Amino acid sequence: MKFKRYCMSLLVSAVALVMTSSTASAGSGEWDYVGSSSFSYTSAVVKSAGGDFMICLESGPSGYYSLYEDDSSNADEYVGYVYLRPGACGAFRGIGGFVDGDNDRAEFYVYKSFGGSATMTFWD
């Protein structure tokens, strides 16, 4: 019975490692660091070239974090949300439709509706 638990534990660890490795690269290469922000409710705005975008909660409260596209000429667009705990990341796939404007970039920010300070990194 102990051997079976050991094998199952090994299998779970291997799957977790493969999943972590598969989220470490996007498209034709690695994730590119595009910034960080410490915030209470709304993060700083960061630019993305489209494709995929990832947010990582470095420190702060666990909860649902929502991604928005900042649009100076219209209402901000809701992209989606992820549940994060400290040390976890969430990827938003296929977000090229949010690229707009003269700079041909999407401008993203994260919003959380609950208290506590969060520090987040952004990857494109």
Side-chain angles (χ1 to χ4, degrees):
M1 199 62 160
K2 285 183 182 180
F3 180 74
K4 187 175 180 180
R5 271 191 234 138
Y6 174 76
C7 288
M8 185 57 90
S9 174
L10 219 60
L11 179 63
V12 168
S13 296
V15 169
L17 182 60
V18 168
M19 289 176 66
T20 302
S21 298
S22 69
T23 60
S25 62
S28 62
E30 299 290 317
W31 286 104
D32 295 319
Y33 172 81
V34 292
S36 69
S37 179
S38 293
F39 60 98
S40 294
Y41 294 99
T42 303
S43 75
V45 174
V46 293
K47 292 179 177 25
S48 169
D52 298 328
F53 189 76
M54 183 167 62
I55 61 175
C56 298
L57 181 61
E58 300 300 321
S59 65
S62 298
Y64 290 97
Y65 289 81
S66 298
L67 185 68
Y68 285 86
E69 203 272 328
D70 184 49
D71 198 336
S72 59
S73 60
N74 295 312
D76 292 352
E77 295 179 79
Y78 174 75
V79 178
Y81 69 90
V82 293
Y83 183 87
L84 297 176
R85 62 185 184 285
C89 298
F92 297 86
R93 306 279 184 196
I95 47 84
F98 293 96
V99 172
D100 59 6
D102 295 335
N103 65 358
D104 202 28
R105 295 281 188 262
E107 294 80 17
F108 291 127
Y109 67 90
V110 172
Y111 171 77
K112 66 180 188 63
S113 61
F114 46 92
S117 180
T119 299
M120 188 159 288
T121 55
F122 305 99
W123 304 83
D124 193 29

